[in-house]
């Protein structure tokens, strides 16, 4: 039945031709400028987080507000990913999870860093988004660039206005902020390592 439905389905492309052309032109422009929203952040952080081919392949769709939709800035998305890669943890203690749920029930601070293993990275990701908004006015690509990437006119405006230069600066700013969030943790771990060796 599935085969019959697939064979009889309308094979019209999911993305209309004018939109495909806009996406093609924007992607071509970024290739010419050797720019990729998410990858620019990871490359700035390659001495602080492991930047593997798998990470780059897995994040290849994070561009243009994630696949040209103009939604959450893909550089910001990469910054949150970098925080998770370096600091993220999954809570494995059932008691700590129950404690967190209990705090939620009584409207306590269930998201404090020390309540759960993943709270620290989550809170830093939220802080990164807040700082990004304060600097650029929004977390949304379309609001920041004032361009609609689904139209050739919007893409041309982005190109004419030097959008790639501004986006490169945003990616650098995100990487700088992520690095400043990672460094205190690295310093604390280094001190702990020294104490454990001397103990």
């Amino acid at each position: 039945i599935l085969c019959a439905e697939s064979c009889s389905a309308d094979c019209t492309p999911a993305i209309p031709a004018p939109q495909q052309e806009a996406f093609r032109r924007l992607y071509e422009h970024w290739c010419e400028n050797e720019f990729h929203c998410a990858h620019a952040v990871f490359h700035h952080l390659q001495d602080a987080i492991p930047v593997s081919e798998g990470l780059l392949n897995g994040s290849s769709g994070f561009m243009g507000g994630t696949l040209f939709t103009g939604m959450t800035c893909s550089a910001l998305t990469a910054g949150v990913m970098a925080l998770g890669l370096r600091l993220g943890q999954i809570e494995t203690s059932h008691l700590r999870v129950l404690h967190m749920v209990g705090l939620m029930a009584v409207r306590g601070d269930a998201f404090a860093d020390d309540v759960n293993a993943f709270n620290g990275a989550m809170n830093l990701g939220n802080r990164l988004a807040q700082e990004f908004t304060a600097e650029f006015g929004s977390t949304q690509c379309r609001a920041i660039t004032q361009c609609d990437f689904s139209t050739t006119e919007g893409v041309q405006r982005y190109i004419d206005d030097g959008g790639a230069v501004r986006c490169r600066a945003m990616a650098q700013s995100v990487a700088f902020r992520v690095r400043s969030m990672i460094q205190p943790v690295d310093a604390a771990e280094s001190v702990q390592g020294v104490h454990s060796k001397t103990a």
Side-chain angles (χ1 to χ4, degrees):
I1 293 175
L2 284 176
C3 180
E5 287 176 358
S6 297
C7 291
S8 65
D10 180 7
C11 292
T12 305
I15 302 173
Q19 202 169 335
Q20 286 184 36
E21 176 58 23
F23 294 166
R24 183 201 62 76
R25 180 65 189 103
L26 181 59
Y27 186 72
E28 180 182 77
H29 175 69
W30 280 336
C31 287
E32 289 167 358
N33 286 275
E34 297 180 351
F35 178 73
H36 184 288
C37 310
H39 293 178
V41 173
F42 295 137
H43 289 309
H44 281 296
L45 292 169
Q46 61 190 353
D47 61 329
I49 62 165
V51 178
S52 65
E53 185 178 344
L55 174 63
L56 296 178
N57 289 340
S59 61
S60 60
F62 292 148
M63 55 187 168
T66 306
L67 294 176
F68 310 117
T69 62
M71 300 305 284
T72 303
C73 170
S74 297
L76 173 59
T77 301
V80 174
M81 283 180 66
L83 287 169
L85 284 166
R86 178 60 187 84
L87 307 173
Q89 298 178 45
I90 299 297
E91 182 56 71
T92 57
S93 165
H94 296 296
L95 288 177
R96 284 172 62 90
V97 171
L98 276 173
H99 178 238
M100 182 179 185
V101 172
L103 283 171
M104 286 179 184
V106 298
R107 301 194 189 285
D109 189 2
F111 298 112
D113 286 352
D114 61 348
V115 170
N116 204 304
F118 57 77
N119 284 0
M122 179 186 71
N123 290 332
L124 286 175
N126 181 268
R127 186 175 120 203
L128 178 64
Q130 298 295 328
E131 291 178 3
F132 185 92
T133 302
E135 184 174 358
F136 300 109
S138 177
T139 60
Q140 301 296 296
C141 174
R142 188 176 297 177
I144 296 166
T145 63
Q146 297 292 300
C147 297
D148 180 356
F149 295 152
S150 68
T151 68
T152 52
E153 296 81 11
V155 169
Q156 194 59 50
R157 184 178 318 111
Y158 175 85
I159 293 169
D160 292 343
D161 291 348
V165 172
R166 286 195 326 273
C167 287
R168 190 181 305 276
M170 277 189 273
Q172 191 168 5
S173 174
V174 168
F176 175 81
R177 290 179 188 283
V178 168
R179 186 179 303 283
S180 72
M181 293 175 183
I182 290 172
Q183 284 173 339
V185 176
D186 287 343
E189 287 177 356
S190 178
V191 168
Q192 277 183 331
V194 168
H195 288 318
S196 65
K197 286 178 184 174
T198 59

